[in-house]
């Protein structure tokens, strides 16, 4: 059993008999395999994991399309997983069906729903409860489940999966360190390319080319390369060129293709002439973020970390407003996920959490800053993982 599955099983409610995993990212999280068509189409019926959750019948079965079965059994290393194929429209043929024009009839063709019926025996106990990802499955898929299992109570385990994913295994921590290093090195090249008259698109191209030098890694499509007033709004890179005294803001990440892990951190620099207001603002935001990180360790309530950063900025800038100052991050598809660093989050920090700690402030028509790093919670504190590209450059970069 993979460490990620062990982690998730700790959070499954005790009264649940089975769990059906339907999203591509959680299929990978549990099994270590990214089902191809499942990932491309993001449809619950393309692949699924069924887990037996009671002590008498604890198992994990992977249900995949016949078209990819041979790949799954090759790449899934844990022999505890039984891989079962269902029949699809692809129509993969036996060799002699083509070479000898011989028909091989299959009278027992099964859909993924037939397999679920074979695995989940609802006849033994009419009080069976099955956990599903209600945040992911379509209404059509859910309706079909209800029709084939009329006596089953379906419970939402979406939050339990997110909760589990917020504490990383040792293997996941290594993956994140690899991805963050790739992003950081690409961003350093962007910083070293900053000059008056360079455009947002040119800076984005530098970043993209550096990232894709690494096989299987791609830049996050939402990554921002914003100059001046554009740093205070959301948008894609434009032809806007950097002027003396303006702020350039980067906020982005990279993705590990077909394993779903993603990153997110930010840098903001003043280029050339330094206006006093912007210098003081950036310095205050940076100090707030570092105050938060210095106080992060296992057992500390997340809301206490928020209050440290928020109040530090608010003391100098009373008009400051912010709903959160960071978030957890793992497999997506959303960049952020719970727990968020907010004033109401009662959850405590745990060893193995990776959080994006950010303290932004934007000014309409001028721009602004986002001071953001990815941080690993360790036994005695927090380690900044995004540590290659500095928040303050040299020469004409502040």
């Amino acid at each position: 059993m993979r460490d990620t599955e062990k982690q998730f099983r700790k959070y499954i409610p005790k009264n649940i008999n089975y769990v059906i995993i339907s999203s591509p990212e959680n299929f990978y999280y549990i099994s270590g395999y990214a089902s191809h068509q499942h990932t491309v189409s993001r449809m619950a019926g393309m692949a699924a994991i069924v887990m037996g959750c009671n002590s008498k019948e604890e198992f994990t079965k992977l249900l995949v399309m016949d078209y990819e079965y041979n790949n799954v059994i090759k790449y899934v290393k844990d022999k505890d997983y039984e891989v079962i194929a269902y029949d699809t429209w692809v129509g993969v043929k036996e060799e002699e069906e083509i070479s000898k024009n011989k028909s091989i009839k299959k009278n027992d063709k099964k859909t993924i729903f037939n397999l679920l019926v074979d695995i989940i025996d609802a006849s033994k106990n009419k009080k069976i409860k099955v956990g599903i990802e209600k945040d992911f499955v379509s209404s059509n898929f859910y309706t079909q489940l209800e029709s084939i299992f009329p006596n089953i109570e379906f419970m939402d385990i979406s939050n339990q999966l997110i909760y589990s994913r917020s504490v990383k295994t040792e293997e996941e921590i290594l993956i994140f360190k690899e991805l963050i290093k790739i992003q950081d090195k690409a961003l350093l090249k962007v910083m070293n390319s900053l000059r008056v008259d360079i455009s947002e698109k040119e800076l984005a191209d530098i970043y993209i080319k550096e990232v894709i030098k690494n096989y299987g890694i791609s830049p996050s499509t939402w990554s921002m390369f914003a100059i001046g007033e554009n740093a205070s709004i959301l948008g894609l890179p434009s032809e806007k060129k950097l002027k003396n005294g303006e702020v350039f803001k980067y906020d982005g990440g990279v993705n590990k293709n077909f394993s779903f892990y993603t990153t997110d951190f930010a840098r903001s620099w003043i280029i050339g002439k330094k206006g006093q207001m912007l210098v003081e603002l950036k310095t205050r935001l940076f100090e707030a973020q570092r105050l938060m990180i210095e106080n992060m360790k296992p057992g500390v309530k997340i809301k206490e970390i928020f209050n440290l950063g928020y109040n530090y900025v608010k003391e100098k800038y009373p008009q400051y407003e912010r709903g959160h100052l960071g978030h957890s991050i793992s497999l997506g598809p959303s960049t952020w996920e719970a727990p968020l660093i907010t004033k109401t989050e009662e959850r405590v920090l745990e060893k193995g959490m990776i959080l994006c700690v950010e303290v932004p402030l934007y000014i309409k028509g001028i721009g602004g800053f986002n001071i953001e790093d990815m941080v690993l919670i360790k036994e005695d504190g927090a380690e900044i993982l995004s540590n290659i590209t500095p928040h303050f450059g040299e020469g004409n970069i502040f």
Side-chain angles (χ1 to χ4, degrees):
M1 185 186 297
R2 298 182 77 234
D3 288 343
T4 47
E5 181 181 340
K6 292 177 185 176
Q7 171 80 356
F8 171 57
R9 281 185 177 271
K10 291 189 297 186
Y11 299 111
I12 299 174
K14 300 299 182 185
N15 61 342
I16 283 184
N17 304 95
Y18 300 93
V19 164
I20 301 174
I21 302 293
S22 302
S23 68
E25 53 274 8
N26 285 322
F27 189 103
Y28 176 85
Y29 180 68
I30 299 297
S31 71
Y33 181 80
S35 174
H36 192 283
Q37 188 62 43
H38 191 202
T39 299
V40 173
S41 65
R42 294 194 62 77
M43 293 173 62
M46 290 296 177
I49 293 176
V50 183
M51 300 167 62
C53 300
N54 58 60
S55 56
K56 294 180 180 179
E57 194 179 20
E58 187 173 290
F59 60 78
T60 305
K61 300 178 188 289
L62 278 55
L63 314 185
V64 299
M65 62 195 306
D66 49 9
Y67 192 34
E68 69 172 343
Y69 174 80
N70 288 336
N71 248 349
V72 184
I73 60 174
K74 180 166 54 176
Y75 285 103
V76 174
K77 298 175 183 177
D78 196 323
K79 301 304 179 184
D80 290 339
Y81 296 157
E82 181 184 358
V83 183
I84 309 171
Y86 66 91
D87 299 297
T88 66
W89 71 91
V90 177
V92 178
K93 300 298 182 182
E94 300 289 343
E95 187 274 335
E96 62 179 329
E97 288 186 271
I98 303 302
S99 63
K100 298 180 181 180
N101 198 22
K102 181 179 180 181
S103 177
I104 299 177
K105 291 185 178 180
K106 291 181 68 176
N107 298 319
D108 59 342
K109 287 187 176 182
K110 290 191 174 182
T111 67
I112 198 167
F113 292 103
N114 295 138
L115 297 183
L116 290 173
V117 171
D118 291 343
I119 296 167
I120 300 174
D121 187 355
S123 63
K124 295 179 181 178
N125 183 352
K126 292 189 177 181
K127 294 183 179 179
I128 278 180
K129 294 183 179 182
V130 176
I132 63 170
E133 297 175 79
K134 285 189 177 180
D135 282 356
F136 176 78
V137 300
S138 66
S139 59
N140 180 55
F141 186 83
Y142 185 57
T143 299
Q144 290 186 70
L145 283 179
E146 286 187 312
S147 68
I148 63 174
F149 294 116
N151 297 320
I152 282 181
E153 178 183 351
F154 291 100
M155 300 177 64
D156 188 13
I157 46 87
S158 303
N159 288 339
Q160 282 82 0
L161 281 158
I162 294 296
Y163 203 100
S164 171
R165 283 163 42 168
S166 67
V167 179
K168 311 302 188 274
T169 66
E170 289 300 320
E171 181 184 2
E172 288 183 296
I173 290 170
L174 291 176
I175 291 171
F176 272 107
K177 286 183 175 180
E178 172 201 5
L179 292 176
I180 291 167
K181 188 175 181 180
I182 290 169
Q183 178 184 353
D184 224 343
K185 286 184 173 181
L187 181 55
L188 182 62
K189 187 153 187 177
V190 171
M191 188 194 80
N192 290 333
S193 303
L194 289 172
R195 55 175 169 77
V196 171
D197 285 337
I198 195 167
S199 71
E200 293 174 347
K201 282 188 175 180
E202 288 174 303
L203 292 167
D205 285 344
I206 292 168
Y207 177 78
I208 291 167
K209 288 175 182 177
E210 282 300 303
V211 171
I212 63 176
K213 287 179 180 178
N214 304 273
Y215 178 77
I217 311 297
S218 59
S220 299
T221 55
W222 55 267
S223 296
M224 287 188 62
F225 300 82
I227 291 170
E229 62 190 39
N230 287 351
S232 66
I233 55 178
L234 293 174
L236 296 174
S238 72
E239 299 290 352
K240 183 175 176 58
K241 293 185 177 182
L242 191 57
K243 297 177 182 178
N244 189 24
E246 283 190 314
V247 172
F248 166 73
K249 187 195 78 173
Y250 160 88
D251 190 352
V254 299
N255 297 319
K256 190 173 177 63
N257 300 342
F258 280 93
S259 68
F260 304 97
Y261 289 99
T262 188
T263 62
D264 174 24
F265 58 89
R267 295 290 186 271
S268 307
W269 296 286
I270 306 168
I271 311 304
K273 183 180 177 181
K274 302 174 186 65
Q276 189 63 27
M277 180 189 74
L278 292 178
V279 168
E280 290 181 2
L281 174 57
K282 178 178 177 179
T283 301
R284 191 71 174 188
L285 298 175
F286 178 78
E287 290 172 349
Q289 192 232 30
R290 285 313 196 251
L291 180 64
M292 294 169 66
I293 294 172
E294 288 165 7
N295 286 275
M296 296 176 79
K297 61 182 178 180
V300 175
K301 283 189 176 182
I302 290 175
K303 70 178 185 179
E304 294 175 11
I305 299 301
F306 173 88
N307 289 332
L308 282 172
Y310 183 75
N311 291 337
Y312 187 82
V313 178
K314 191 95 169 169
E315 183 181 3
K316 185 174 177 66
Y317 300 98
Q319 302 305 318
Y320 185 60
E321 296 292 338
R322 182 70 184 173
H324 74 84
L325 293 177
H327 52 85
S328 180
I329 188 168
S330 64
L331 290 89
S334 174
T335 305
W336 64 269
E337 59 189 34
L340 275 67
I341 302 176
T342 68
K343 63 181 178 181
T344 58
E345 180 55 70
E346 293 286 343
R347 191 173 174 187
V348 300
L349 295 171
E350 298 179 51
K351 178 185 174 183
M353 283 183 168
I354 292 180
L355 298 151
C356 301
V357 184
E358 59 181 322
V359 185
L361 195 157
Y362 307 118
I363 306 168
K364 185 178 181 180
I366 295 177
F369 304 96
N370 188 8
I371 310 298
E372 182 177 21
D373 284 289
M374 292 184 67
V375 169
L376 169 65
I377 305 302
K378 305 178 80 172
E379 287 184 3
D380 56 353
E383 175 188 356
I384 298 174
L385 301 179
S386 47
N387 54 18
I388 296 175
T389 308
H391 283 275
F392 296 90
E394 298 178 352
N396 71 331
I397 299 175
F398 177 84

